[in-house]
Amino acid sequence: MHVPGALDGDERGADRRIASNPLGPFMATTDEIADVANLRMSLDVNGERMQTGNTKTMIFKPAFLIHYLSQFMTLEAGDLISTGTPPGVGLGMKPPRYVKIEDEVTLSIDGLGTQKQTCIGD
């Protein structure tokens, strides 16, 4: 579930989730995660660790993001807020590194699990 037209849609409310922001396969409830403000995160590309972070180092903490956004839009159970990424993005590397067709990207977050995506072309 997402906030219609807010993050994954355009001004017409068109849904673009098929092409971006892979999610799932489940959602965790508040009793399943001890502290959302202290979750380790990692991202590997083809088995090489590219990013490591923790929600405790986020500039804006999860509680603040929910508070702030709820002033401008209605948030409901199951809504998702995309927050950005930990340090280590390919653009900042010298030389820059980007994912390519057939690269396997593996994302892990403590308490939420791991998901793998394979990049494909059009």
Side-chain angles (χ1 to χ4, degrees), residues 7-57:
L7 299 174
D8 290 324
D10 61 20
E11 61 276 359
R12 297 178 313 272
D15 191 4
R16 296 182 293 179
R17 289 179 294 153
I18 293 169
S20 64
N21 205 18
L23 303 167
F26 67 92
M27 296 178 67
T29 58
T30 56
D31 62 315
E32 295 176 294
I33 298 176
D35 184 4
V36 296
N38 188 18
L39 299 174
R40 289 180 299 165
M41 304 175 283
S42 65
L43 184 127
D44 299 344
V45 177
N46 299 322
E48 180 183 356
R49 181 65 39 98
M50 303 298 286
Q51 293 180 277
T52 303
N54 191 302
T55 55
K56 69 181 174 186
T57 62

Side-chain angles (χ1 to χ4, degrees), residues 7-8 21 23 58 65 69 79-85:
L7 299 174
D8 290 324
N21 205 18
L23 303 167
M58 293 171 61
L65 291 169
L69 290 173
D79 285 349
L80 301 170
I81 301 170
S82 295
T83 59
T85 184

Side-chain angles (χ1 to χ4, degrees), residues 98-110:
Y98 305 101
V99 292
K100 302 175 295 302
I101 294 173
E102 296 186 11
D103 280 353
E104 183 178 81
V105 179
T106 306
L107 166 79
S108 295
I109 301 177
D110 281 357

Side-chain angles (χ1 to χ4, degrees), residues 86-100:
V89 295
L91 175 65
M93 296 180 177
K94 303 238 186 275
R97 292 178 63 184
Y98 305 101
V99 292
K100 302 175 295 302

